[in-house]
Structures are given as structure tokens and as C-alpha cells.
Amino acid sequence: MTLAEMIARAQETLRQAIAARRTAQDALMALRIDPNLTEEAVTERRTARDEADAAVTRAQADLAELEEEQRRENEVAELAARTEPTGNRAPAYDRVARVGAEERTYRQDQDPRGATFERDVAAAFFGDYEARDRLSRHMQEERTERGDQLRAVGTGAFAGLIVPQYLTDLYAPAVAANRPFADAIRQHQLPAQGMQVNISRITTATSVALQASENSDVSETNIDDTLMSIPVQTAAGRQTMSRQSIERGAGTESIVLDDLFRRYATNLDSTLINQSTTGLSAVATSVTYTDSTPTTAELYPKVIEGLAGVEAALLDQASGDNIAVMHSRRWYWMQNAMGTSYPMITQPGVVAQTLGANYATRYGSGVRGILPNGTPVIVDNNIATTLGTNDNEDEIYLGDRNEHHLWEDPSAPMFIRAEQPKVESLGVVLVVYGYFAYTHARYAHARKISGTGLAAPTFAGA
């Protein structure tokens, strides 16, 4: 595990510790207003809160130690670069022995927007051998770190290159819904060849029954399966830029590339939800909520009905890791609710006097909160808001996280920079593309809440 991966893990541990501490504090505050308050109960909740505090402190210290180590590593690397004799050219990537980790050719801390990578791609077309050498080293690094995952991508003509991994997470100024749902579901590596993924599904099960009498025939049903073929799809986008805008502009190419990455992620996620026939909205079984004056309290039983349907469909194949996926307008509308009635059955991690919990995390950061029964909420604005007879409804999706499957090419998204097709007009074509496949229907389990009760919400006071 690299130091950067250790830091990422420590950051996630700290985030979870903070969330646990917040839950413990909420529980303590809720107990203090309980008319049946006992000293023992307060002591128990205070102890839980203090233990959560200590966990936050430990996680914070661990993260600080790793970050200090990373800072020192960067400092030493910069010092080594400054003290290297200028007369000695560094040996080629494949002609030097290494112990431990070596700095990557293209690094986020030195080139966060990928300008160096893009300049090298452009320079390679004009025969710049040093640029070609850097790109070759980058491709070798990718094969070394992810060789078991990546396709055999040639670099001779530099027509298709693997984009440095950190660049796929960059943000351009234009907003995007991105891929909250795609990131939350079960991930698989796309097979190396073929334009479909095949899964065998048992459609006729064996049977067991009570034997009618001694020596009589026992129950027998021939097991049978059906091949489920899932198509591999291609998401792609391009942008033609003038050479003047690239050569005379300031960072224009990197801005366009950043935006293409984000449109790619948004398109993939939207396809998973909205594609006709196979998208989540198309395959989910409807739980209708019809109401001209909807409230969160009236909507919540529909959520429970949907989750009951999910479990009934999966039975022993249910992982129990259910999720609720909704538009941000629906999540905030639910937070707007006020009431005096509380669930009669408490749930782990949820204060009894509240209707779920909001984790106060930003859009696209994973779980945004939990519903009263503990179901995590994923907020995704790729969900349509123009559904229903009046074109103003959205939907809430419920399902088992592990039964929403996404296969992605580990090299995706790929980047092509082509100058020849538009050379007569001094144009440069940038293309971003990738392959993926998905299914929500290995088991027909997903549910969606839909109907007039999910029309555009109004945010009114109690």
C-alpha cells in the first residue's frame, strides 16, 4: 500500500469517527430532553460520546502523522532533484534498479491540471523525442502498477493513451451531476474482449418435497438456467478546438479535457438510471405514492413497503446492504419535515426522536445520511424530475447495493488527441471514451417510489 493510499484510508477512518461522534452526541442531547430521564442512562450515553471523542482524536493523530510523513517525502524528493548533478542524465526508466516507490512521471502535486501531460501528447505528434520518452515512461508506470488490469495500449503513434489516474478526478468550472450512484454500487472489471457480458441465471430450481411413502419416488425437478447477455456500451465525447485557442490560450486544453471527463462520468451514471428497457427506472417495480398534499411522514411507509419488496425478491440472496437513491430536491424536502410522532421500533445509529439523520456531506461524496430504519441515502441528480402526467415528478429507488452491477474498463476513460483530421482548418480534436456494461436485473428486486406524491416539492414551514 502506498503512502497516498494510507492517507486516504486514514481520512476515511477520521470521517467515520466524526460521524459516529456526531451520532453519539445527538443521542445524548435527545436523552436529556426525555421526561423519563435517568442518571444511569445519561452516564451510559455520555460514556459512549467520550469513547467516540477518543476515537476521533486517535484518527486525527494517525492522519496527521501520515501527512507529515508525506510532506517530508515530498521535501526530500525536491531536495534530491535540486542536488542531482546537471551533467549526468538520468538513466532510462527500464535501466535502473529501484527499492521502494519512485515518483511518477506525471504527479498531481506538481501538475494538478495535467498541462504537462497534454503538452507532451501534443509535442509527441511533432517528433519531440523527450516528450515521447516521458509518455513511454508513464505508460510503463501504468503497466507496472495496474498491469493486470490494463489493455495492451500501444504508444508508438500516441493515438490512444491512458490518462494519468489523478486527472480523472479533476473538476472544471461547469457543474455536473457526475456519478454518485455508479460509485455506490458493485464494481467489476470489464472482460478484456467481447461486446457483451454473459451471466448464467438459474430460472428453474430443483425441488424437495415430503416422500409419500417408503420406497416411493422422491421429488425431482430438472434444474435449468438461462443465459443473461449484457451489452458492452461505449460512452464518448469530443471537442474540436482551434490551434490558436490552445497555443495562445491559458490552460484552455486542460479545461476542455477536465469537462469531458465529467461529462463522461455523468453520462455513464445517467445511463445506469434512465436508459430505456435496462435502466434502473425501467426495471424497478413501482410502489405508487399518490397524494396531492404529500408529506414526509406519509412518504416514509412507502419506503418501507419498497424495502420489504426488495427483501422478498432476494430472500437468502439479500446482502442486507440496501440503499435509497433520490434526487437532492427530494432529500432536502424530507429534511424539511417536522413532526411529533416517532417510530415505535428503534434502529441502530438513529436517535429515536428523529426522522433519520443527515451526515452533512457534500454532493457526490457517498452516503448523505440515513432514513429512520437505517437505510443509507445516495443523492443523485441524474434522476429525472420531469416524470409523471404533469412532467414534474421524480422517483426514489430502493435496492440491494450488491445487486446493482457495473463492469468498467479499468483503462477508462481513454483520451485521444488528433490533429490530422482538422489540419486544414488548424483544428485539434479531443476525444474521451470508455467501455462499460451494467445490469440491475440479475434478480428482479429493485423498487421505485413514483406518483403524484413525488411532484416538485414545496418547502413550507410547520
Side-chain angles (χ1 to χ4, degrees):
M1 180 180 294
T2 66
L3 190 56
E5 291 171 336
M6 294 172 65
I7 291 175
R9 176 173 291 185
Q11 289 172 335
E12 177 62 19
T13 300
L14 178 58
R15 189 194 69 78
Q16 293 176 357
I18 292 172
R21 196 271 180 194
R22 184 183 299 120
T23 299
Q25 177 66 13
D26 290 344
L28 177 61
M29 296 304 295
L31 185 65
R32 284 172 171 167
I33 63 174
D34 190 335
N36 299 318
L37 175 68
T38 65
E39 184 63 31
E40 292 79 6
V42 172
T43 300
E44 181 182 349
R45 292 288 175 87
R46 186 183 292 118
T47 300
R49 191 273 314 275
D50 292 343
E51 290 175 352
D53 263 333
V56 170
T57 301
R58 289 194 299 272
Q60 187 177 15
D62 291 344
L63 177 58
E65 182 179 349
L66 290 170
E67 289 178 335
E68 174 59 26
E69 186 176 346
Q70 179 69 74
R71 185 198 65 77
R72 181 57 179 164
E73 287 294 320
N74 293 340
E75 188 178 83
V76 170
E78 292 175 3
L79 181 62
R82 290 198 301 269
T83 57
E84 182 179 341
T86 56
N88 297 334
R89 181 177 176 84
Y93 183 89
D94 58 349
R95 296 182 180 275
V96 61
R98 292 172 172 80
V99 177
E102 181 184 76
E103 297 293 352
R104 293 293 301 263
T105 302
Y106 303 109
R107 292 168 46 193
Q108 185 173 8
D109 57 336
Q110 293 184 350
D111 185 26
R113 299 194 66 83
T116 302
F117 171 74
E118 292 164 4
R119 281 197 298 270
D120 283 348
V121 174
F125 279 96
F126 295 102
D128 187 324
Y129 291 105
E130 290 188 359
R132 286 173 176 260
D133 184 54
R134 284 190 294 272
L135 288 168
S136 294
R137 287 202 306 272
H138 162 66
M139 295 297 289
Q140 181 62 38
E141 290 161 359
E142 289 289 338
R143 282 191 287 268
T144 299
E145 292 193 6
R146 298 191 291 157
D148 59 335
Q149 303 173 350
L150 300 181
R151 306 285 178 268
V153 180
T155 59
F158 297 97
L161 292 171
I162 297 172
V163 180
Q165 191 70 25
Y166 71 86
L167 289 181
T168 64
D169 298 326
L170 290 179
Y171 291 87
V175 299
N178 229 297
R179 45 177 291 165
F181 176 61
D183 287 337
I185 62 178
R186 190 172 175 180
Q187 307 282 331
H188 307 278
Q189 182 175 317
L190 192 68
Q193 284 95 27
M195 290 305 292
Q196 64 182 25
V197 176
N198 294 318
I199 297 177
S200 174
R201 291 191 303 168
I202 303 300
T203 50
T204 301
T206 59
S207 63
V208 172
L210 297 178
Q211 188 178 24
S213 62
E214 294 182 27
N215 293 324
S216 63
D217 289 343
V218 299
S219 176
E220 179 182 15
T221 302
N222 292 330
I223 192 170
D224 193 16
D225 74 329
T226 299
L227 186 65
M228 181 179 186
S229 296
I230 304 163
V232 174
Q233 304 186 66
T234 305
R238 69 179 182 182
Q239 181 70 56
T240 302
M241 301 183 66
S242 69
R243 181 171 293 279
Q244 292 90 335
S245 69
I246 295 173
E247 295 181 352
R248 305 293 294 176
T252 53
E253 191 171 2
S254 62
I255 290 174
V256 172
L257 184 59
D258 292 346
D259 198 67
L260 281 170
F261 286 144
R262 303 182 71 219
R263 302 309 137 190
Y264 173 87
T266 301
N267 176 264
L268 184 150
D269 189 87
S270 179
T271 301
L272 266 59
I273 296 174
N274 302 311
Q275 190 169 35
S276 61
T277 309
T278 57
L280 181 56
S281 179
V283 303
T285 301
S286 291
V287 175
T288 303
Y289 174 40
T290 302
D291 197 331
S292 59
T293 56
T295 66
T296 300
E298 293 169 345
L299 168 63
Y300 182 63
K302 296 295 182 179
V303 173
I304 298 300
E305 179 183 344
L307 290 170
V310 169
E311 183 165 310
L314 292 174
L315 296 179
D316 67 330
Q317 294 304 307
S319 70
D321 189 8
N322 295 329
I323 54 173
V325 187
M326 63 184 70
H327 196 277
S328 63
R329 75 179 193 180
R330 191 58 52 195
W331 176 236
Y332 282 103
W333 175 75
M334 294 182 73
Q335 293 180 55
N336 184 61
M338 304 291 287
T340 58
S341 299
Y342 311 117
M344 297 183 68
I345 300 176
T346 61
Q347 304 291 336
V350 182
V351 180
Q353 289 84 355
T354 61
L355 194 66
N358 176 41
Y359 288 165
T361 54
R362 66 175 179 81
Y363 179 88
S365 60
V367 175
R368 297 292 297 278
I370 54 176
L371 297 176
N373 71 327
T375 300
V377 173
I378 303 296
V379 170
D380 193 325
N381 278 28
N382 284 306
I383 294 174
T385 57
T386 56
L387 304 173
T389 56
N390 294 319
D391 300 327
N392 65 346
E393 299 169 12
D394 54 76
E395 295 175 335
I396 297 175
Y397 305 106
L398 305 162
D400 188 316
R401 187 198 303 260
N402 291 298
E403 283 305 327
H404 298 288
H405 299 268
L406 172 62
W407 289 264
E408 286 191 270
D409 189 324
S411 302
M414 294 287 288
F415 170 46
I416 295 175
R417 188 184 197 275
E419 301 197 5
Q420 294 304 315
K422 298 287 184 179
V423 66
E424 74 280 358
S425 59
L426 290 180
V428 177
V429 181
L430 306 180
V431 180
V432 168
Y433 73 98
Y435 305 118
F436 69 97
Y438 74 92
T439 183
H440 311 297
R442 193 174 78 137
Y443 296 101
H445 79 290
R447 297 294 188 270
K448 66 176 181 182
I449 304 174
S450 59
T452 57
L454 293 178
T458 57
F459 298 88

